[in-house]
Amino acid sequence: MALLDRPTVTTHHRGPSRRTLALVLLTAGTLLLSGTWYLVQQYSERPPWAEDIAYEAGFVQGTRIRKTDPTGRQVEDLLAGGCARMVSEGLGGVKATYDPGLWVTGCLDGASARPPARQGLFH
């Protein structure tokens, strides 16, 4: 065969120099660190999706109370203003402080067995 008689030619391509590679990695690390710092400064301990968390936490609390209430009195109390009272007394937890109004809405939805209004990617 004619192809096997030819010598194999390999070409070597040099990559970036170590100095260039180090500068690119240092720049990327600096950008990542400054972006993270900006997000922490912007939101502090409150996550960017805090509204969703507040609604879901209220919904879970309302659902738990509805499922564990054998007589239905606690559910009636929640629907008659108990969810708002829980938030005002601090019983909603840290997640209720993100958005108290949405926490109450979620609690009312959970207590009344409505499907969650803010579920999914688009709400």
Side-chain angles (χ1 to χ4, degrees):
M1 294 211 333
L3 293 177
L4 294 177
D5 294 336
R6 291 187 179 176
T8 306
V9 178
T10 58
T11 57
H12 295 282
H13 297 284
R14 291 191 57 196
S17 67
R18 288 185 179 146
R19 179 177 177 250
T20 304
L21 185 62
L23 285 174
V24 167
L25 289 175
L26 183 65
T27 304
T30 303
L31 287 174
L32 181 67
L33 185 64
S34 63
T36 304
W37 175 81
Y38 173 75
L39 286 176
V40 168
Q41 291 299 316
Q42 184 74 21
Y43 295 105
S44 189
E45 293 182 7
R46 182 180 187 268
W49 52 89
E51 290 81 15
D52 295 336
I53 292 173
Y55 177 84
E56 290 171 5
F59 185 83
V60 167
Q61 185 68 24
T63 303
R64 283 180 185 160
I65 291 174
R66 179 179 48 83
K67 288 184 177 182
T68 59
D69 184 21
T71 62
R73 290 185 182 150
Q74 290 177 330
V75 172
E76 290 174 4
D77 179 51
L78 285 180
L79 296 175
C83 291
R85 188 172 56 251
M86 286 177 69
V87 170
S88 66
E89 293 174 359
L91 299 175
V94 175
K95 294 175 183 176
T97 61
Y98 294 155
D99 192 334
L102 278 178
W103 192 94
V104 170
T105 303
C107 179
L108 291 172
D109 287 349
S112 63
R114 285 190 293 253
R118 298 179 58 90
Q119 184 178 18
L121 293 175
F122 305 106
H123 40 70

Short mmCIF file of all heavy atoms in Angstrom, two decimals, residues 15-78:
data_model
loop_
_atom_site.label_atom_id
_atom_site.label_comp_id
_atom_site.label_asym_id
_atom_site.label_seq_id
_atom_site.Cartn_x
_atom_site.Cartn_y
_atom_site.Cartn_z
N GLY A 15 0.37 25.80 22.78
CA GLY A 15 -0.74 26.49 23.41
C GLY A 15 -0.29 27.85 23.89
O GLY A 15 0.81 28.31 23.57
N PRO A 16 -1.12 28.48 24.66
CA PRO A 16 -0.72 29.79 25.19
C PRO A 16 0.44 29.63 26.17
O PRO A 16 0.60 28.59 26.80
CB PRO A 16 -1.97 30.30 25.89
CG PRO A 16 -2.77 29.09 26.18
CD PRO A 16 -2.44 28.10 25.11
N SER A 17 1.18 30.67 26.29
CA SER A 17 2.30 30.61 27.23
C SER A 17 1.76 30.52 28.66
O SER A 17 0.60 30.84 28.92
CB SER A 17 3.19 31.86 27.08
OG SER A 17 2.47 33.00 27.51
N ARG A 18 2.61 30.10 29.55
CA ARG A 18 2.17 29.97 30.95
C ARG A 18 1.77 31.32 31.52
O ARG A 18 0.84 31.41 32.32
CB ARG A 18 3.28 29.33 31.77
CG ARG A 18 3.47 27.89 31.47
CD ARG A 18 4.48 27.26 32.38
NE ARG A 18 4.60 25.85 32.07
CZ ARG A 18 5.72 25.17 32.16
NH1 ARG A 18 6.81 25.78 32.56
NH2 ARG A 18 5.74 23.90 31.86
N ARG A 19 2.46 32.34 31.12
CA ARG A 19 2.13 33.69 31.60
C ARG A 19 0.73 34.10 31.13
O ARG A 19 -0.07 34.60 31.92
CB ARG A 19 3.18 34.67 31.10
CG ARG A 19 2.91 36.09 31.53
CD ARG A 19 4.04 37.01 31.06
NE ARG A 19 3.73 38.36 31.43
CZ ARG A 19 3.41 39.32 30.57
NH1 ARG A 19 3.39 39.04 29.27
NH2 ARG A 19 3.15 40.52 30.98
N THR A 20 0.43 33.88 29.85
CA THR A 20 -0.88 34.24 29.32
C THR A 20 -1.97 33.41 29.98
O THR A 20 -3.03 33.94 30.34
CB THR A 20 -0.90 34.02 27.79
OG1 THR A 20 0.15 34.77 27.20
CG2 THR A 20 -2.23 34.45 27.21
N LEU A 21 -1.73 32.13 30.14
CA LEU A 21 -2.71 31.25 30.78
C LEU A 21 -2.96 31.68 32.23
O LEU A 21 -4.11 31.72 32.68
CB LEU A 21 -2.23 29.80 30.72
CG LEU A 21 -3.19 28.74 31.23
CD1 LEU A 21 -4.46 28.74 30.40
CD2 LEU A 21 -2.53 27.37 31.19
N ALA A 22 -1.91 32.03 32.94
CA ALA A 22 -2.06 32.48 34.32
C ALA A 22 -2.85 33.79 34.39
O ALA A 22 -3.71 33.96 35.26
CB ALA A 22 -0.70 32.65 34.98
N LEU A 23 -2.59 34.71 33.48
CA LEU A 23 -3.32 35.98 33.46
C LEU A 23 -4.81 35.77 33.15
O LEU A 23 -5.67 36.40 33.75
CB LEU A 23 -2.70 36.94 32.45
CG LEU A 23 -1.38 37.59 32.87
CD1 LEU A 23 -0.79 38.40 31.72
CD2 LEU A 23 -1.58 38.45 34.09
N VAL A 24 -5.11 34.88 32.21
CA VAL A 24 -6.50 34.60 31.87
C VAL A 24 -7.22 33.97 33.06
O VAL A 24 -8.35 34.35 33.41
CB VAL A 24 -6.59 33.71 30.61
CG1 VAL A 24 -7.99 33.15 30.43
CG2 VAL A 24 -6.16 34.49 29.39
N LEU A 25 -6.58 33.00 33.71
CA LEU A 25 -7.19 32.36 34.88
C LEU A 25 -7.36 33.33 36.03
O LEU A 25 -8.39 33.32 36.73
CB LEU A 25 -6.37 31.14 35.31
CG LEU A 25 -6.43 29.94 34.37
CD1 LEU A 25 -5.48 28.84 34.86
CD2 LEU A 25 -7.83 29.41 34.25
N LEU A 26 -6.40 34.19 36.24
CA LEU A 26 -6.49 35.19 37.30
C LEU A 26 -7.62 36.18 37.02
O LEU A 26 -8.39 36.54 37.91
CB LEU A 26 -5.17 35.93 37.45
CG LEU A 26 -5.09 36.96 38.57
CD1 LEU A 26 -5.23 36.26 39.92
CD2 LEU A 26 -3.79 37.72 38.49
N THR A 27 -7.75 36.59 35.77
CA THR A 27 -8.83 37.51 35.39
C THR A 27 -10.19 36.85 35.57
O THR A 27 -11.14 37.46 36.10
CB THR A 27 -8.65 37.97 33.93
OG1 THR A 27 -7.37 38.56 33.79
CG2 THR A 27 -9.73 38.95 33.52
N ALA A 28 -10.32 35.60 35.14
CA ALA A 28 -11.59 34.88 35.30
C ALA A 28 -11.94 34.71 36.78
O ALA A 28 -13.09 34.89 37.18
CB ALA A 28 -11.53 33.53 34.61
N GLY A 29 -10.96 34.39 37.60
CA GLY A 29 -11.19 34.24 39.03
C GLY A 29 -11.60 35.55 39.68
O GLY A 29 -12.49 35.59 40.53
N THR A 30 -10.97 36.64 39.25
CA THR A 30 -11.31 37.95 39.78
C THR A 30 -12.73 38.35 39.41
O THR A 30 -13.49 38.86 40.24
CB THR A 30 -10.32 39.01 39.27
OG1 THR A 30 -9.00 38.63 39.63
CG2 THR A 30 -10.62 40.38 39.84
N LEU A 31 -13.12 38.09 38.17
CA LEU A 31 -14.49 38.39 37.74
C LEU A 31 -15.51 37.55 38.50
O LEU A 31 -16.56 38.05 38.91
CB LEU A 31 -14.63 38.17 36.24
CG LEU A 31 -13.98 39.20 35.34
CD1 LEU A 31 -14.07 38.78 33.88
CD2 LEU A 31 -14.61 40.56 35.55
N LEU A 32 -15.22 36.29 38.70
CA LEU A 32 -16.12 35.41 39.45
C LEU A 32 -16.25 35.88 40.89
O LEU A 32 -17.36 35.94 41.45
CB LEU A 32 -15.63 33.96 39.40
CG LEU A 32 -16.48 32.93 40.10
CD1 LEU A 32 -17.82 32.79 39.39
CD2 LEU A 32 -15.77 31.60 40.13
N LEU A 33 -15.14 36.23 41.51
CA LEU A 33 -15.16 36.70 42.89
C LEU A 33 -15.91 38.02 43.02
O LEU A 33 -16.71 38.19 43.94
CB LEU A 33 -13.72 36.85 43.41
CG LEU A 33 -13.58 37.21 44.88
CD1 LEU A 33 -14.14 36.09 45.75
CD2 LEU A 33 -12.13 37.46 45.21
N SER A 34 -15.69 38.94 42.09
CA SER A 34 -16.40 40.22 42.18
C SER A 34 -17.89 40.05 41.90
O SER A 34 -18.72 40.73 42.51
CB SER A 34 -15.78 41.24 41.22
OG SER A 34 -15.92 40.80 39.88
N GLY A 35 -18.27 39.14 41.01
CA GLY A 35 -19.69 38.86 40.78
C GLY A 35 -20.36 38.27 42.01
O GLY A 35 -21.48 38.64 42.37
N THR A 36 -19.67 37.36 42.66
CA THR A 36 -20.19 36.77 43.89
C THR A 36 -20.31 37.83 44.98
O THR A 36 -21.31 37.87 45.70
CB THR A 36 -19.28 35.63 44.36
OG1 THR A 36 -19.15 34.68 43.30
CG2 THR A 36 -19.83 34.95 45.58
N TRP A 37 -19.31 38.68 45.11
CA TRP A 37 -19.35 39.74 46.10
C TRP A 37 -20.54 40.66 45.85
O TRP A 37 -21.23 41.06 46.78
CB TRP A 37 -18.04 40.53 46.07
CG TRP A 37 -18.05 41.71 46.99
CD1 TRP A 37 -17.83 41.73 48.33
CD2 TRP A 37 -18.33 43.06 46.62
NE1 TRP A 37 -17.96 43.01 48.82
CE2 TRP A 37 -18.27 43.85 47.78
CE3 TRP A 37 -18.62 43.69 45.42
CZ2 TRP A 37 -18.47 45.21 47.77
CZ3 TRP A 37 -18.84 45.06 45.41
CH2 TRP A 37 -18.76 45.80 46.59
N TYR A 38 -20.78 41.00 44.58
CA TYR A 38 -21.90 41.87 44.24
C TYR A 38 -23.23 41.23 44.65
O TYR A 38 -24.10 41.90 45.21
CB TYR A 38 -21.90 42.19 42.74
CG TYR A 38 -23.13 42.94 42.31
CD1 TYR A 38 -23.28 44.28 42.60
CD2 TYR A 38 -24.16 42.29 41.65
CE1 TYR A 38 -24.42 44.98 42.22
CE2 TYR A 38 -25.30 42.97 41.26
CZ TYR A 38 -25.42 44.31 41.55
OH TYR A 38 -26.55 44.98 41.18
N LEU A 39 -23.40 39.94 44.35
CA LEU A 39 -24.65 39.26 44.72
C LEU A 39 -24.85 39.22 46.23
O LEU A 39 -25.96 39.41 46.72
CB LEU A 39 -24.68 37.85 44.15
CG LEU A 39 -24.92 37.75 42.65
CD1 LEU A 39 -24.83 36.30 42.19
CD2 LEU A 39 -26.27 38.34 42.28
N VAL A 40 -23.78 38.99 46.97
CA VAL A 40 -23.89 38.96 48.43
C VAL A 40 -24.25 40.35 48.95
O VAL A 40 -25.10 40.50 49.84
CB VAL A 40 -22.58 38.44 49.07
CG1 VAL A 40 -22.56 38.69 50.56
CG2 VAL A 40 -22.40 36.97 48.78
N GLN A 41 -23.65 41.39 48.40
CA GLN A 41 -23.97 42.75 48.82
C GLN A 41 -25.40 43.13 48.44
O GLN A 41 -26.08 43.83 49.18
CB GLN A 41 -22.99 43.74 48.20
CG GLN A 41 -21.59 43.65 48.74
CD GLN A 41 -21.54 43.92 50.23
OE1 GLN A 41 -22.16 44.85 50.72
NE2 GLN A 41 -20.80 43.10 50.94
N GLN A 42 -25.85 42.66 47.30
CA GLN A 42 -27.18 43.01 46.81
C GLN A 42 -28.27 42.35 47.64
O GLN A 42 -29.26 42.98 47.99
CB GLN A 42 -27.32 42.58 45.34
CG GLN A 42 -28.61 42.96 44.69
CD GLN A 42 -28.68 44.44 44.38
OE1 GLN A 42 -27.67 45.12 44.29
NE2 GLN A 42 -29.88 44.94 44.23
N TYR A 43 -28.10 41.08 47.95
CA TYR A 43 -29.17 40.32 48.60
C TYR A 43 -28.90 40.01 50.06
O TYR A 43 -29.79 39.53 50.75
CB TYR A 43 -29.43 39.03 47.84
CG TYR A 43 -29.94 39.27 46.45
CD1 TYR A 43 -29.13 39.10 45.34
CD2 TYR A 43 -31.24 39.71 46.24
CE1 TYR A 43 -29.60 39.33 44.08
CE2 TYR A 43 -31.72 39.95 44.98
CZ TYR A 43 -30.89 39.76 43.89
OH TYR A 43 -31.36 40.00 42.64
N SER A 44 -27.69 40.19 50.53
CA SER A 44 -27.29 39.88 51.89
C SER A 44 -27.67 38.45 52.22
O SER A 44 -27.21 37.53 51.54
CB SER A 44 -27.90 40.88 52.87
OG SER A 44 -27.35 40.71 54.15
N GLU A 45 -28.49 38.23 53.22
CA GLU A 45 -28.89 36.86 53.54
C GLU A 45 -30.21 36.49 52.88
O GLU A 45 -30.69 35.38 53.03
CB GLU A 45 -29.00 36.70 55.06
CG GLU A 45 -27.67 36.80 55.75
CD GLU A 45 -27.78 36.58 57.24
OE1 GLU A 45 -28.86 36.22 57.71
OE2 GLU A 45 -26.77 36.79 57.92
N ARG A 46 -30.81 37.41 52.17
CA ARG A 46 -32.08 37.16 51.50
C ARG A 46 -31.80 36.66 50.09
O ARG A 46 -31.16 37.34 49.30
CB ARG A 46 -32.87 38.46 51.42
CG ARG A 46 -34.21 38.33 50.80
CD ARG A 46 -34.89 39.71 50.80
NE ARG A 46 -36.24 39.62 50.37
CZ ARG A 46 -36.64 39.77 49.11
NH1 ARG A 46 -35.74 40.02 48.18
NH2 ARG A 46 -37.90 39.69 48.80
N PRO A 47 -32.25 35.47 49.73
CA PRO A 47 -31.96 34.94 48.40
C PRO A 47 -32.71 35.69 47.31
O PRO A 47 -33.75 36.31 47.58
CB PRO A 47 -32.44 33.48 48.49
CG PRO A 47 -33.37 33.43 49.63
CD PRO A 47 -32.98 34.51 50.58
N PRO A 48 -32.22 35.64 46.08
CA PRO A 48 -32.88 36.38 44.99
C PRO A 48 -34.30 35.91 44.71
O PRO A 48 -35.11 36.66 44.21
CB PRO A 48 -31.99 36.10 43.78
CG PRO A 48 -30.73 35.56 44.31
CD PRO A 48 -30.99 35.00 45.66
N TRP A 49 -34.62 34.68 45.00
CA TRP A 49 -35.95 34.12 44.73
C TRP A 49 -36.78 34.06 46.02
O TRP A 49 -37.60 33.18 46.20
CB TRP A 49 -35.82 32.74 44.11
CG TRP A 49 -34.93 31.85 44.91
CD1 TRP A 49 -35.29 31.03 45.93
CD2 TRP A 49 -33.52 31.70 44.78
NE1 TRP A 49 -34.19 30.40 46.45
CE2 TRP A 49 -33.10 30.78 45.77
CE3 TRP A 49 -32.56 32.27 43.93
CZ2 TRP A 49 -31.76 30.42 45.92
CZ3 TRP A 49 -31.24 31.89 44.08
CH2 TRP A 49 -30.86 30.98 45.07
N ALA A 50 -36.61 35.02 46.89
CA ALA A 50 -37.23 34.99 48.21
C ALA A 50 -38.75 35.02 48.15
O ALA A 50 -39.42 34.46 49.02
CB ALA A 50 -36.72 36.16 49.06
N GLU A 51 -39.31 35.66 47.12
CA GLU A 51 -40.77 35.71 47.03
C GLU A 51 -41.35 34.31 46.84
O GLU A 51 -42.37 33.96 47.43
CB GLU A 51 -41.20 36.62 45.87
CG GLU A 51 -40.92 38.09 46.11
CD GLU A 51 -39.47 38.46 45.84
OE1 GLU A 51 -38.74 37.67 45.19
OE2 GLU A 51 -39.05 39.55 46.28
N ASP A 52 -40.70 33.51 46.00
CA ASP A 52 -41.16 32.13 45.81
C ASP A 52 -41.02 31.33 47.09
O ASP A 52 -41.89 30.52 47.44
CB ASP A 52 -40.37 31.45 44.70
CG ASP A 52 -40.61 32.09 43.35
OD1 ASP A 52 -41.67 32.72 43.17
OD2 ASP A 52 -39.75 31.96 42.47
N ILE A 53 -39.94 31.55 47.82
CA ILE A 53 -39.70 30.82 49.06
C ILE A 53 -40.76 31.20 50.09
O ILE A 53 -41.29 30.33 50.79
CB ILE A 53 -38.28 31.12 49.59
CG1 ILE A 53 -37.24 30.50 48.66
CG2 ILE A 53 -38.11 30.58 51.00
CD1 ILE A 53 -35.83 30.87 49.00
N ALA A 54 -41.10 32.47 50.18
CA ALA A 54 -42.10 32.91 51.16
C ALA A 54 -43.46 32.29 50.84
O ALA A 54 -44.14 31.78 51.74
CB ALA A 54 -42.20 34.43 51.15
N TYR A 55 -43.86 32.30 49.58
CA TYR A 55 -45.16 31.72 49.22
C TYR A 55 -45.18 30.22 49.52
O TYR A 55 -46.13 29.70 50.12
CB TYR A 55 -45.46 31.95 47.73
CG TYR A 55 -46.76 31.31 47.31
CD1 TYR A 55 -47.97 31.95 47.51
CD2 TYR A 55 -46.78 30.03 46.74
CE1 TYR A 55 -49.16 31.36 47.15
CE2 TYR A 55 -47.96 29.43 46.38
CZ TYR A 55 -49.15 30.09 46.59
OH TYR A 55 -50.33 29.49 46.25
N GLU A 56 -44.12 29.51 49.11
CA GLU A 56 -44.09 28.06 49.31
C GLU A 56 -44.06 27.70 50.79
O GLU A 56 -44.68 26.72 51.20
CB GLU A 56 -42.89 27.46 48.59
CG GLU A 56 -43.03 27.51 47.09
CD GLU A 56 -41.77 27.13 46.36
OE1 GLU A 56 -40.78 26.72 47.02
OE2 GLU A 56 -41.75 27.24 45.12
N ALA A 57 -43.35 28.47 51.60
CA ALA A 57 -43.30 28.19 53.03
C ALA A 57 -44.69 28.36 53.65
O ALA A 57 -45.12 27.55 54.48
CB ALA A 57 -42.29 29.10 53.72
N GLY A 58 -45.39 29.42 53.27
CA GLY A 58 -46.76 29.61 53.76
C GLY A 58 -47.69 28.51 53.28
O GLY A 58 -48.54 28.01 54.03
N PHE A 59 -47.54 28.09 52.03
CA PHE A 59 -48.37 27.03 51.48
C PHE A 59 -48.13 25.71 52.23
O PHE A 59 -49.08 25.01 52.59
CB PHE A 59 -48.07 26.84 49.99
CG PHE A 59 -48.97 25.84 49.32
CD1 PHE A 59 -50.22 26.22 48.88
CD2 PHE A 59 -48.57 24.53 49.14
CE1 PHE A 59 -51.06 25.31 48.27
CE2 PHE A 59 -49.40 23.61 48.53
CZ PHE A 59 -50.65 24.00 48.09
N VAL A 60 -46.88 25.41 52.49
CA VAL A 60 -46.56 24.17 53.23
C VAL A 60 -47.13 24.23 54.64
O VAL A 60 -47.70 23.24 55.13
CB VAL A 60 -45.03 23.94 53.24
CG1 VAL A 60 -44.64 22.86 54.23
CG2 VAL A 60 -44.54 23.58 51.85
N GLN A 61 -47.00 25.38 55.30
CA GLN A 61 -47.53 25.50 56.66
C GLN A 61 -49.04 25.34 56.68
O GLN A 61 -49.59 24.64 57.52
CB GLN A 61 -47.14 26.86 57.27
CG GLN A 61 -47.55 27.04 58.70
CD GLN A 61 -46.78 26.12 59.63
OE1 GLN A 61 -45.68 25.68 59.34
NE2 GLN A 61 -47.37 25.81 60.77
N GLY A 62 -49.73 25.98 55.75
CA GLY A 62 -51.18 25.85 55.68
C GLY A 62 -51.62 24.43 55.37
O GLY A 62 -52.59 23.91 55.94
N THR A 63 -50.89 23.76 54.48
CA THR A 63 -51.21 22.37 54.13
C THR A 63 -50.98 21.44 55.32
O THR A 63 -51.79 20.53 55.58
CB THR A 63 -50.36 21.92 52.93
OG1 THR A 63 -50.61 22.80 51.84
CG2 THR A 63 -50.71 20.51 52.51
N ARG A 64 -49.89 21.65 56.04
CA ARG A 64 -49.61 20.81 57.22
C ARG A 64 -50.73 20.94 58.27
O ARG A 64 -51.17 19.94 58.83
CB ARG A 64 -48.29 21.21 57.86
CG ARG A 64 -47.09 20.72 57.14
CD ARG A 64 -45.83 21.16 57.86
NE ARG A 64 -44.66 20.79 57.11
CZ ARG A 64 -43.48 21.34 57.26
NH1 ARG A 64 -43.32 22.30 58.16
NH2 ARG A 64 -42.46 20.94 56.54
N ILE A 65 -51.13 22.16 58.51
CA ILE A 65 -52.18 22.36 59.52
C ILE A 65 -53.48 21.73 59.04
O ILE A 65 -54.19 21.08 59.81
CB ILE A 65 -52.33 23.86 59.83
CG1 ILE A 65 -51.08 24.37 60.56
CG2 ILE A 65 -53.58 24.12 60.66
CD1 ILE A 65 -51.05 25.85 60.80
N ARG A 66 -53.79 21.89 57.76
CA ARG A 66 -55.04 21.32 57.23
C ARG A 66 -55.03 19.80 57.33
O ARG A 66 -56.02 19.17 57.70
CB ARG A 66 -55.24 21.73 55.77
CG ARG A 66 -56.50 21.17 55.14
CD ARG A 66 -56.68 21.63 53.71
NE ARG A 66 -55.50 21.51 52.88
CZ ARG A 66 -55.13 20.38 52.25
NH1 ARG A 66 -55.84 19.30 52.38
NH2 ARG A 66 -54.05 20.36 51.51
N LYS A 67 -53.89 19.17 57.04
CA LYS A 67 -53.82 17.71 57.06
C LYS A 67 -53.79 17.12 58.46
O LYS A 67 -54.15 15.97 58.65
CB LYS A 67 -52.60 17.24 56.27
CG LYS A 67 -52.77 17.42 54.78
CD LYS A 67 -51.59 16.85 54.03
CE LYS A 67 -51.83 16.98 52.53
NZ LYS A 67 -50.73 16.40 51.77
N THR A 68 -53.33 17.89 59.44
CA THR A 68 -53.24 17.36 60.80
C THR A 68 -54.38 17.81 61.69
O THR A 68 -54.39 17.50 62.88
CB THR A 68 -51.91 17.78 61.45
OG1 THR A 68 -51.82 19.20 61.47
CG2 THR A 68 -50.74 17.19 60.70
N ASP A 69 -55.34 18.53 61.14
CA ASP A 69 -56.46 19.04 61.93
C ASP A 69 -57.65 18.09 61.79
O ASP A 69 -58.35 18.11 60.79
CB ASP A 69 -56.84 20.43 61.44
CG ASP A 69 -57.93 21.06 62.29
OD1 ASP A 69 -58.12 20.63 63.44
OD2 ASP A 69 -58.59 21.99 61.79
N PRO A 70 -57.91 17.27 62.81
CA PRO A 70 -59.02 16.30 62.68
C PRO A 70 -60.40 16.94 62.77
O PRO A 70 -61.36 16.45 62.19
CB PRO A 70 -58.78 15.33 63.84
CG PRO A 70 -58.01 16.11 64.85
CD PRO A 70 -57.20 17.11 64.08
N THR A 71 -60.52 18.04 63.47
CA THR A 71 -61.85 18.65 63.67
C THR A 71 -62.15 19.76 62.67
O THR A 71 -63.31 20.08 62.46
CB THR A 71 -61.97 19.23 65.09
OG1 THR A 71 -60.97 20.26 65.24
CG2 THR A 71 -61.77 18.15 66.14
N GLY A 72 -61.14 20.37 62.10
CA GLY A 72 -61.34 21.47 61.16
C GLY A 72 -61.37 22.83 61.81
O GLY A 72 -61.54 23.85 61.13
N ARG A 73 -61.20 22.89 63.12
CA ARG A 73 -61.24 24.19 63.81
C ARG A 73 -60.01 25.04 63.50
O ARG A 73 -60.12 26.26 63.36
CB ARG A 73 -61.35 23.98 65.32
CG ARG A 73 -62.71 23.45 65.71
CD ARG A 73 -62.84 23.36 67.21
NE ARG A 73 -64.14 22.79 67.55
CZ ARG A 73 -64.37 22.08 68.61
NH1 ARG A 73 -63.40 21.84 69.47
NH2 ARG A 73 -65.57 21.61 68.85
N GLN A 74 -58.85 24.40 63.42
CA GLN A 74 -57.64 25.17 63.12
C GLN A 74 -57.68 25.74 61.71
O GLN A 74 -57.22 26.85 61.47
CB GLN A 74 -56.40 24.29 63.30
CG GLN A 74 -56.10 23.95 64.73
CD GLN A 74 -54.90 23.03 64.84
OE1 GLN A 74 -54.63 22.23 63.96
NE2 GLN A 74 -54.17 23.15 65.95
N VAL A 75 -58.25 24.98 60.78
CA VAL A 75 -58.36 25.47 59.41
C VAL A 75 -59.30 26.67 59.36
O VAL A 75 -59.02 27.67 58.69
CB VAL A 75 -58.85 24.34 58.46
CG1 VAL A 75 -59.15 24.89 57.08
CG2 VAL A 75 -57.82 23.24 58.38
N GLU A 76 -60.41 26.60 60.07
CA GLU A 76 -61.33 27.74 60.12
C GLU A 76 -60.64 28.96 60.72
O GLU A 76 -60.84 30.08 60.26
CB GLU A 76 -62.57 27.38 60.96
CG GLU A 76 -63.49 26.38 60.30
CD GLU A 76 -64.62 25.95 61.22
OE1 GLU A 76 -64.72 26.48 62.35
OE2 GLU A 76 -65.40 25.08 60.82
N ASP A 77 -59.82 28.72 61.75
CA ASP A 77 -59.08 29.82 62.37
C ASP A 77 -58.08 30.43 61.38
O ASP A 77 -57.94 31.65 61.31
CB ASP A 77 -58.35 29.32 63.62
CG ASP A 77 -57.57 30.43 64.28
OD1 ASP A 77 -58.17 31.50 64.51
OD2 ASP A 77 -56.37 30.22 64.56
N LEU A 78 -57.39 29.58 60.61
CA LEU A 78 -56.44 30.10 59.62
C LEU A 78 -57.15 30.93 58.57
O LEU A 78 -56.68 32.01 58.19
CB LEU A 78 -55.70 28.94 58.93
CG LEU A 78 -54.62 28.23 59.73
CD1 LEU A 78 -54.00 27.12 58.89
CD2 LEU A 78 -53.55 29.18 60.21
#
